[in-house]
Amino acid sequence: MTTTAQPPTVGASHTRVEGREKVTGAARYASEQPFDQLVHGWLVLSTVARGRVRKVGEEAVRAMPGVLAVLHHGNAPRLATDYASMLGGPDPTVAVFQHDRVPHAGWPVALVVAETPEQAREAAESLVVEYDEEPHDVAFHADRPGSYVPDDGNAVLTKGDLEAELAASAVVVDASYTTPEQHHSAMEPHAATARWEGGRLEVFDSNQGSMWVADELAKLFSLDPSSVRVRSEHIGGAFGSKGVRPHQVAAAMAATVLQRPVRLALTRRQTFAVTGYRSPTAQRVRLGAEPDGRLRAFGHEALNLTSTLRPFVETSAALGRVLYEARAHHTAHRLVDVDMPTPTWMRAPGEAPGSFAVESALDELAERLGMDPIALRARNEPTVGPLSGLPFSSRNLLGCFEEGARRFGWAGRDPRPRMRREGRWLLGTGTAAATYPSGAAPSTASVTAEADGTFTVRISAADVGTGARTALTLIAAEALDVAPERVAVRIGDSDFGPAWVAGGSMGTRSWALAVTSAVGELRGRLALTDGDIPPEGITARTDTAGLLAELAKKERHSFGAQFAEVAVDVTTGEVRVRRMLGIFAAGRIVNPLTARSQLVGGMTWGISMALHEEAVRDAASGSQLGPDFAGYHVAANADVPVIEADWLEDPVPNDPVGIKGIGEIGIVGVAAAISNAVWHATGVRHRDLPLRPDRVMEVGDGA
């Protein structure tokens, strides 16, 4: 292989390799793929929150123009529901049309397929479904009876005697916090097109892991894995919601019945019902400290809801297991079953709501101790994992606070609340810590040296808008020591073999190891060829399972410090974020251009979480009120100030790639930093998100 010294690739800013395709409209998303004889499906969702389907009035609908099929529990193909998948056991939420039971409002009860989407929608909205309705319960609160500890070895972790250390503490904070139901709201709604081609089920989808979806479909339909191919080249956002969902299964089911390509695209309102959401949480944090701020006790208990179908844990209490040292630690998760859809992962699952509780409580403890909030965090900085006892792969949280404080002007802050005012606005500043795990999962990849001197990388990765395709191009180019223009990265195809999904801040780290390993194998083979490459090229393929098994056990996390300045209107209770700064330590940054966008995007979502996002359930119907962007508010341009995101050098010794995840950490701690700033502005603590004006109005226009 002939190479010449190349300018920096990894660590230098590069525009997205697919950027031109996206801005010119050439990039095709899941609902834009052209097919001959394409037909369209439309889901019919239940209007009751619990009960059974008594009758589906399909006869009248079948007579409507263009209607080809009406699938429901009485006539749909049977699915296998007892299997193990890539990410665990079977998921009852995707086994659609297999029984007459309705476990929640918005449960798929039928699929109408017609020649055009307009015909399918009209017919679906005309379909009369009769139910035997049963009493339902969607209430969620901290004191709700019937909560339980999930069957999970990590649900409860304990060190020392929490109650004894609290009793011995000079200062104690015991506070409760709540966060509401929140939804992913990706720009591109979910869509899938399924067809049978050459004896194989092919699905063109918008997902976070094509191999994951292919594996589930093969098991659900009792197919050989080689008989299913899933492709997902371009994705317009995901945030945890684009895994295996009912629409992919229903589309594949209809394609099997009709032997024609079937497209099923969800409406925005339907995504609120069937694609998952972040569970509301009720959290209690108990902190006990010595007069100098050293923690004796750290307790964090978190409750979230789940469906009656399967348990899902929003791991809010996991954050403190890493952040702070204490003589006694007690962290626990509990669940309560309700008649609602099953929650799922949402950007920074666990850590996002958990950080609001923990970092707000730390700020309150600092106030009671008369300490600077940053100094309190430094006082309780651990040298090893507080519960695991494992060394950190790298940890520079204090460096993030030091640099952030310098750039934010923290030293000039008067710590007393309600001391700054501009007209009707009270001003305040706040800070919070951020952390998120940085794991890796086994993945496969192949790299081909082409006869024309270029290289092709194939890996079943997913670019959900993060710039992963570009990052992998740079990583491969560096490993090959060639210009990025000589590398073509193909992703989003289950035929490329198993690879980790785009989730958990593990994607780039997992895929990078697979790609660099394949390049190493390829370079060894090329060294034996004297540069003679056959027309079909030379391909090397690797699997990283063995490499990962050999990694030393360590606490592997990204870290960061969030800073916020807010203004609070004393008349209306409106909170405006004036500026934000986030400083992060996240290993090796592959592409500064897209990395900064990821961090700023996460911080923007944190503003939205703090001030706006709140899904409300109607107790009478069990349905969400306003499941659309008119009723579910997210931060708009006017809500987002100048946001600065930057990072420190964070080398990771003895790590095969030195890359950590950054997709999640941007949102962690933001809501707490804003809430702490609101306290600093007003002197009033708020422990319930979002910080709506009606909740903040109690600040009043006086002393």
Side-chain angles (χ1 to χ4, degrees), residues 42-89:
W42 204 276
L43 280 178
V44 179
L45 307 182
S46 70
T47 56
V48 304
R50 181 170 178 169
R52 294 188 178 275
V53 176
R54 182 170 67 247
K55 181 181 179 182
V56 179
E58 60 185 291
E59 294 81 5
V61 167
R62 285 182 180 276
M64 294 180 69
V67 173
L68 301 171
V70 180
L71 299 181
H72 52 81
H73 73 276
N75 63 11
R78 298 297 92 184
L79 300 173
T81 57
D82 184 14
Y83 60 87
S85 69
M86 283 179 62
L87 298 185

Side-chain angles (χ1 to χ4, degrees), residues 312-360:
F312 180 86
V313 182
E314 181 73 29
T315 54
S316 305
L319 181 100
R321 297 172 178 176
V322 174
L323 273 182
Y324 302 115
E325 184 57 77
R327 293 185 186 179
H329 260 269
H330 177 79
T331 52
H333 298 101
R334 297 186 69 86
L335 297 177
V336 62
D337 298 343
V338 296
D339 300 313
M340 283 173 53
T342 309
T344 192
W345 304 282
M346 182 168 163
R347 198 174 201 176
E351 273 75 3
S355 64
F356 168 63
V358 170
E359 291 302 290
S360 296

Side-chain angles (χ1 to χ4, degrees), residues 24 75 243 273 453 481 483 674:
T24 60
N75 63 11
D481 197 20
I674 292 172

